[in-house]
Amino acid sequence: SAPGTRNESVDDGTRPWDQRMVAVLRIRHMQLRTEQSYMGWARRFERWLHGKSVENASGDDVRRFLEYLAVEGRVAASTQRQALNALVFLYREVLQLDLGDLSGYTRARAGKRIPVVLSQQQCQALFQELSGTYLLMAQLMYGAGLRLMELLRLRVQDVHFEQGIIVIRQGKGGKDRVSMLPESLRAALLEQRERLHTLYEQDQQEGLAGVWLPPAVENKIRFLSRICG
């Protein structure tokens, strides 16, 4: 159990256009991070319009906004591309408006960055500064190659001690994959599983909200709850 669930980040919009955008994003089963990113860019664009409605914006408005990001905002090329994807989704998929040719704006410069990789010694030094659950989380990320959200969404049933594997659900790109379970963490993970079982029972008794589930599983549980009363 960990923070980062959809229930903790629900944003259903406040105006017709962004309520519709949220609905379309969820109908398409877009990842929560994608939903948050697209909604963030759409609302930033709305603020940039200074009172002009999103529905009445033109392709020229979109081009000038993208140019503003590059020239004044000095954003990276990937950030500018993300903003473009969000606005294209808004107008084509949500509002169903044709903005025409959106090329011709100033492109942000694509910088070349070498990824920072910690050495084994640096990782060990980091582990020495952690304890308890946080230490186990860091060690599992390092040992199994998990991204942060993959770690936070990891379910008990996806840790297979017998096979020595971890099944990662809805990873990057919405894909599932399998990673190795570090043998050195087996005992600590078994202890964590027992502790979580106790916490789960306490949460159930107190009526607290559950954890994140893959959309298909969450929808199935809701459907079964309705028909079973």
Side-chain angles (χ1 to χ4, degrees):
S1 173
T5 70
R6 177 176 284 278
N7 287 339
E8 294 174 350
S9 305
V10 166
D11 179 357
D12 294 322
T14 58
R15 295 171 300 287
W17 72 264
D18 66 346
Q19 291 173 345
R20 175 60 181 161
M21 187 169 183
V22 169
V24 174
L25 284 163
R26 294 179 185 173
I27 289 172
R28 302 288 177 85
H29 300 293
M30 306 289 265
Q31 293 289 306
L32 176 59
R33 285 291 177 264
T34 302
E35 176 183 316
Q36 293 172 330
S37 172
Y38 277 24
M39 294 304 302
W41 280 116
R43 287 164 180 165
R44 184 172 174 179
F45 177 58
E46 180 188 41
R47 292 193 297 271
W48 180 84
L49 289 171
H50 299 297
K52 186 175 185 179
S53 70
V54 169
E55 294 90 340
N56 292 328
S58 64
D60 186 54
D61 289 320
V62 173
R63 284 192 295 272
R64 288 191 294 110
F65 175 68
L66 295 172
E67 189 160 310
Y68 158 80
L69 292 178
V71 177
E72 296 188 36
R74 297 182 181 275
V75 302
S78 58
T79 302
Q80 187 188 45
R81 188 161 52 249
Q82 185 183 71
L84 172 62
N85 291 340
L87 296 180
V88 167
F89 184 89
L90 168 63
Y91 284 98
R92 291 183 181 174
E93 306 298 330
V94 179
L95 301 177
Q96 297 183 342
L97 297 174
D98 183 8
L99 297 180
D101 183 11
L102 293 179
S103 63
Y105 58 88
T106 301
R107 306 270 178 168
R109 297 181 61 180
K112 294 183 179 180
R113 295 182 176 86
I114 300 175
V116 177
V117 180
L118 299 181
S119 67
Q120 287 186 340
Q121 292 75 17
Q122 289 173 320
C123 287
Q124 291 302 324
L126 175 62
F127 294 156
Q128 289 174 6
E129 299 297 321
L130 301 173
S131 62
T133 301
Y134 294 112
L135 172 60
L136 180 58
M137 292 170 68
Q139 289 174 327
L140 191 56
M141 286 183 68
Y142 176 77
L146 302 180
R147 297 179 178 88
L148 177 59
M149 287 306 299
E150 293 171 348
L151 174 73
L152 296 177
R153 293 174 172 177
L154 187 62
R155 297 185 294 164
V156 170
Q157 69 185 60
D158 291 328
V159 181
H160 300 271
F161 291 96
E162 297 79 10
Q163 295 96 332
I165 62 173
I166 296 175
V167 179
I168 296 96
R169 309 286 184 184
Q170 295 285 304
K172 188 171 183 179
K175 298 178 181 178
D176 298 348
R177 72 177 192 280
V178 175
S179 182
M180 300 302 296
L181 171 64
E183 183 63 29
S184 60
L185 299 180
R186 179 183 292 268
L189 286 170
L190 286 170
E191 291 179 6
Q192 176 75 354
R193 185 175 68 177
E194 293 303 313
R195 190 179 74 84
L196 290 180
H197 182 71
T198 302
L199 290 175
Y200 170 76
E201 291 182 335
Q202 293 175 355
D203 287 350
Q204 289 292 100
Q205 292 173 1
E206 297 175 9
L208 298 180
V211 299
W212 177 89
L213 291 173
V217 177
E218 185 177 11
N219 293 336
K220 182 184 294 184
I221 291 175
R222 288 179 178 175
F223 174 74
L224 292 174
S225 298
R226 286 199 298 269
I227 64 176
C228 294

